[in-house]
Amino acid sequence: MQDWKRQKAAFASIAVSPVAWLIAFFVLPLAIVWLYSFGRNVGLTEIDISGTFSNYGRALEPLYLEIFGKSVAVAALTTLICLIVGFPIALAITFAQPKWRPWMLLAIMLPFWTNLLIRTYALITVLRTEGYVNKSLGWLWESASGLKVMVGMAPLSTWEPLPLLYNNFAVILGLVYVHLPFMVLPLYAALDRLDRSLIEASLDLGAGHFRTLTQIVAPLAAPGIISGVIITFVPALGAYLTPDLMGGPDSQMIANVIERQFKRANDWPFGAALSFLLMYATFILIALQALRNRKAEARS
Amino acid sequence: MDRRIPLQEFRANRRSILKSLGAAAVGISFAGALSGCGGKEQAAKIGGTGEEPKLNFYNWDTYIGETTLGDFKGASGIDVNMSLFATNDELFAKLRAGNPGFDVIVPSNDFVERMVKADMLVPLDHTQILNIKNVDPAFINVAYDPGRKFSLPYTWLLLGIGYRKSKVKAKPDSWKVLFDSPEYKGRIALLSEAGDMFRLYGKYLGKSVNGLTPEDLKTIEAMMIKQKPNVKAFHEDNGQDLLLSGEVDLVLEYNGDIAQIMTEDDDIDFIVPKEGSQLNSDTLCIPKGAPHPKNAHAFINYLLDAEAGKKITETILYPTPNAAAKALMPDSYKKNPVIFPAADLLARCEYASYNEKLQPLYEEAFTRVRAA
């Protein structure tokens, strides 16, 4: 194989367009927003980059820290549920017959091809008071009540629809629904590479299925679990559409606050500071993961 | 006007990026197209504006007549490309860094003030908009744009309570049921617009929407936090959907939105609370940097035409400031108490003016309310 260091001209000619793309559409706009975070509003449309830290100071006030904290908790719970639900799914796909596997993967991927907004509205029609879930449950309730009357017992009390929408439960459910593929795919990738003979050995040597899962499969799939956790947690932390459309009066997450700074409050410098705080947190998370990987490599 | 997040937003976004990056390239291709496919023929079709027959219209969703854009093309030969925005803030945010190519926009009254202050609008040439004579004289000299230098009224609207008649004990004729009472716990939805919410609470407390002080904001914030457990949702101006689908029974919404769903469901009504409310007016403006200012004037003139105005009003069912168009409408519209509330109630309603100092305070206080 040729080393890219010896073929610098060829490498550069290939690299120049993606690098230019990255600089023009990612680094540059982000740098401008980063500069905004050290500025202040002058009038309605001008931002004076004065190098002030007051935006960060305001972003670190207890009000916003609490919202940060709540967003982290919501994202963490979402990730945990995704892991608990996603792990058996990934296992099932791994151990399914090869001819079924592409179809099962397709079933996981399919909702992904639909716009997030449409999926969210679809979920709303399922969950709302007059939605499919409540209508089905209401029908079952009425039927049970009718049956009781038929056998001579008192009917059930009248059906009260469950509050499934416009609360924190709905936000978590919506986030899990949206982010599940992010968890399942890396888990599947990790489990698929697993050496099956290790599992057989564990079972042969007398470990039960659960013990094999926790002590053999999970440690071996750890890299997949960690990357699954990170790529689920990071977008869930920045979610704003789901809490906006499915949340109740107290379901705001940090991304909703950031959005309001750029739109309603017309305070771009403060919005920039808030979003960069979110980004610093994400960077730290990814750096920790990279550090872990390097340590693991050094050990082996 | 349905202010749900429009999918079309993405289209406008893409165009704005294309515009800012490739303005030069676009210009070249236009010139090429014009010389290539018979500039003369097009010039004849334009009928005097002397611009290429195109217009970019930035409007609210469900806020134009079904055939209006086609009719305008038939009359003038100008192709209207309409994109949609969901809130005034979105409109402002998009134009803030420079006009991405819009010719006609539809900001509300307080944003007209704000955009004039930020020097974002082009003064209108009234000699090119003769249909200004159709506008009700009451809408010509308004505080937010004296003499109508920058804006012409398209509709006006009023916040009030939309409710399901079979689910309320009495007519909810006071803001109290929404703002200060557990009576309809879990069955009410309020607007997520911080400024509107604080001003309406002010109305409930007997103050002018433009007379709030920072101390009032503290009182109101405490009231909002106390009321929050009774509120099902702060909606993004899609309250009419929540009411229609039975999700809530009382909702803070604009009269036109409720009038639209009242045609689908007999059990729904709308009331302007006795304390009075806040008026808004959506207006037609031309932003600075509009590529086709003459077409824009022709389009605004067309929208203010009596017959065109009638067709728009038939679809959107908002109160129209176009007196000539209103005269052509049937009594079911003109005498509709939802669309045109009684004069004594209207006298208690006010237009909110833009307040640079209070706006950030509204936002921060509302963030505290939502986080509490």
Side-chain angles (χ1 to χ4, degrees):
Chain A
M1 214 169 95
Q2 286 177 326
D3 189 351
W4 70 271
K5 280 176 191 154
R6 272 184 241 149
Q7 302 281 341
K8 272 187 186 147
F11 179 76
S13 67
I14 295 169
V16 72
S17 64
V19 167
W21 177 272
L22 208 65
I23 288 175
F25 294 105
F26 181 72
V27 178
L28 219 60
L30 218 57
I32 293 171
V33 177
W34 185 70
L35 284 178
Y36 280 166
S37 74
F38 299 101
R40 61 185 184 86
N41 268 340
V42 187
L44 282 165
T45 52
E46 301 291 314
I47 292 169
D48 171 35
I49 314 277
S50 56
T52 170
F53 281 91
S54 63
N55 296 310
Y56 287 99
R58 204 179 139 204
L60 291 172
E61 279 172 15
L63 168 65
Y64 297 102
L65 282 184
E66 261 171 48
I67 301 171
F68 262 113
K70 185 180 167 169
S71 307
V72 169
V74 168
L77 185 59
T78 302
T79 311
L80 182 70
I81 297 174
C82 278
L83 184 61
I84 293 169
V85 176
F87 201 83
I89 298 177
L91 267 183
I93 299 176
T94 315
F95 289 99
Q97 286 182 15
K99 67 170 178 178
W100 287 113
R101 251 184 253 170
W103 294 105
M104 292 169 88
L105 280 174
L106 188 71
I108 295 285
M109 295 286 287
L110 208 55
F112 229 38
W113 299 348
T114 316
N115 184 294
L116 173 62
L117 196 57
I118 293 169
R119 274 183 289 159
T120 308
Y121 271 108
L123 209 53
I124 288 175
T125 61
V126 170
L127 294 177
R128 65 184 179 202
T129 313
E130 303 273 324
Y132 300 115
V133 171
N134 268 318
K135 269 198 182 144
S136 314
L137 288 174
W139 180 81
L140 284 175
W141 185 269
E142 298 297 334
S143 311
S145 175
L147 270 178
K148 278 184 86 179
V149 173
M150 269 208 300
V151 297
M153 288 194 288
L156 293 166
S157 54
T158 49
W159 164 252
E160 280 295 319
L162 297 173
L164 298 174
L165 201 56
Y166 305 116
N167 48 35
N168 291 329
F169 163 81
V171 174
I172 301 270
L173 186 78
L175 287 177
V176 168
Y177 168 66
V178 167
H179 291 100
L180 199 56
F182 287 111
M183 184 62 93
V184 171
L185 295 178
L187 280 181
Y188 168 73
L191 290 172
D192 197 41
R193 276 181 314 211
L194 207 75
D195 189 349
R196 305 280 170 93
S197 55
L198 290 172
I199 299 175
E200 281 162 25
S202 161
L203 292 173
D204 275 352
L205 293 170
H209 277 98
F210 186 71
R211 190 150 178 219
T212 306
L213 208 61
T214 52
Q215 303 215 328
I216 307 293
V217 178
L220 285 172
I225 294 176
I226 290 171
S227 48
V229 164
I230 287 182
I231 67 170
T232 309
F233 181 79
V234 170
L237 187 61
Y240 96 99
L241 196 64
T242 312
D244 223 25
L245 291 177
M246 299 178 70
D250 58 354
S251 301
Q252 76 178 347
M253 285 174 72
I254 193 68
N256 303 111
V257 179
I258 294 173
E259 188 224 358
R260 281 212 294 275
Q261 302 313 317
F262 280 95
K263 286 188 176 171
R264 285 184 188 150
N266 195 33
D267 193 349
W268 289 17
F270 182 51
L274 279 175
S275 41
F276 265 91
L277 276 185
L278 194 62
M279 224 170 313
Y280 299 145
T282 314
F283 279 146
I284 290 171
L285 205 69
I286 293 172
L288 283 178
Q289 150 76 351
L291 215 65
R292 230 189 90 103
N293 275 357
R294 199 168 300 164
K295 263 191 205 153
E297 266 167 36
R299 248 182 287 147
S300 60
Chain B
M1 122 190 57
D2 189 333
R3 302 184 192 185
R4 271 172 295 195
I5 298 168
L7 296 171
Q8 281 84 342
E9 191 185 337
F10 301 112
R11 205 171 58 203
N13 262 328
R14 196 178 64 194
R15 192 178 58 209
S16 61
I17 292 166
L18 287 178
K19 279 271 177 191
S20 52
L21 279 170
V26 170
I28 291 162
S29 72
F30 274 148
L34 278 176
S35 60
C37 61
K40 258 187 220 155
E41 191 193 320
Q42 276 176 332
K45 245 166 71 185
I46 298 164
T49 66
E51 290 168 349
E52 53 152 346
K54 284 207 173 95
L55 180 98
N56 298 319
F57 181 34
Y58 201 29
N59 190 15
W60 303 86
D61 197 5
T62 66
Y63 219 41
I64 189 87
E66 273 162 38
T67 59
T68 308
L69 301 183
D71 293 348
F72 177 65
K73 189 176 182 200
S76 65
I78 297 170
D79 242 325
V80 179
N81 171 20
M82 183 168 77
S83 352
L84 306 178
F85 61 90
T87 61
N88 277 303
D89 308 285
E90 192 184 328
L91 169 74
F92 189 83
K94 201 154 280 172
L95 287 165
R96 191 184 135 127
N99 183 355
F102 297 119
D103 295 303
V104 177
I105 54 174
V106 194
S108 303
N109 48 313
D110 50 331
F111 273 75
V112 172
E113 271 179 89
R114 202 158 142 174
M115 294 176 104
V116 168
K117 212 174 259 176
D119 195 23
M120 290 160 82
L121 298 178
V122 175
L124 298 175
D125 177 4
H126 287 194
T127 60
Q128 291 183 54
I129 310 175
L130 297 174
N131 281 333
I132 205 169
K133 66 180 188 315
N134 290 339
V135 175
D136 186 336
F139 288 91
I140 294 293
N141 241 325
V142 286
Y144 59 87
D145 183 13
R148 289 290 178 188
K149 262 178 81 181
F150 295 96
S151 68
L152 280 165
Y154 184 56
T155 57
W156 59 274
L157 50 157
L158 181 62
L159 281 164
I161 305 175
Y163 63 100
R164 189 166 283 281
K165 286 186 264 183
S166 59
K167 295 285 176 77
V168 293
K169 282 164 228 144
K171 270 195 176 189
D173 65 348
S174 163
W175 290 119
K176 187 176 171 71
V177 293
L178 292 188
F179 292 165
D180 195 16
S181 148
E183 189 180 354
Y184 295 107
K185 184 179 168 67
R187 288 156 61 196
I188 56 188
L190 303 178
L191 205 57
S192 61
E193 193 85 40
D196 291 340
M197 285 294 295
F198 276 92
R199 288 188 289 258
L200 289 178
Y201 261 86
K203 259 317 200 193
Y204 171 59
L205 296 174
K207 296 185 180 351
S208 158
V209 295
N210 296 318
L212 295 178
T213 62
E215 288 72 47
D216 292 334
L217 296 199
K218 284 208 185 75
T219 324
I220 294 172
E221 185 186 327
M223 287 175 74
M224 282 182 174
I225 291 173
K226 188 168 156 248
Q227 180 69 356
K228 204 175 86 162
N230 302 322
V231 177
K232 177 120 177 184
F234 290 110
H235 64 77
E236 303 280 327
D237 199 5
N238 58 345
Q240 70 274 34
D241 296 340
L242 299 177
L243 185 61
L244 189 62
S245 66
E247 202 59 53
V248 295
D249 297 327
L250 295 108
V251 66
L252 175 61
E253 247 310 347
Y254 289 101
N255 55 344
D257 285 325
I258 303 295
Q260 283 175 8
I261 59 164
M262 279 170 70
T263 59
E264 294 173 47
D265 190 337
D266 286 341
D267 196 22
I268 286 171
D269 207 349
F270 176 86
I271 190 165
V272 180
K274 60 181 184 230
E275 294 93 352
S277 180
Q278 180 186 306
L279 285 162
N280 279 68
S281 184
D282 287 333
T283 66
L284 301 162
C285 297
I286 304 178
K288 280 240 158 114
H292 317 102
K294 285 188 182 143
N295 291 354
H297 278 91
F299 184 58
I300 292 177
N301 190 45
Y302 181 79
L303 292 180
L304 294 177
D305 174 64
E307 196 58 42
K310 175 183 171 244
K311 283 188 183 155
I312 295 168
T313 308
E314 276 170 350
T315 310
I316 68 176
L317 287 180
Y318 270 81
T320 177
N322 184 338
K326 189 180 167 189
L328 296 175
M329 291 296 288
D331 274 354
S332 60
Y333 170 82
K334 278 189 282 191
K335 302 225 164 106
N336 187 327
V338 171
I339 300 170
F340 296 102
D344 60 319
L345 264 178
L346 277 184
R348 270 172 263 160
C349 302
E350 302 168 88
Y351 283 99
S353 63
Y354 173 64
N355 189 327
E356 210 170 331
K357 271 202 205 92
L358 285 184
Q359 192 60 35
L361 298 182
Y362 291 146
E363 291 300 334
E364 201 177 54
F366 202 56
T367 302
R368 274 197 296 273
V369 171
R370 303 282 302 252

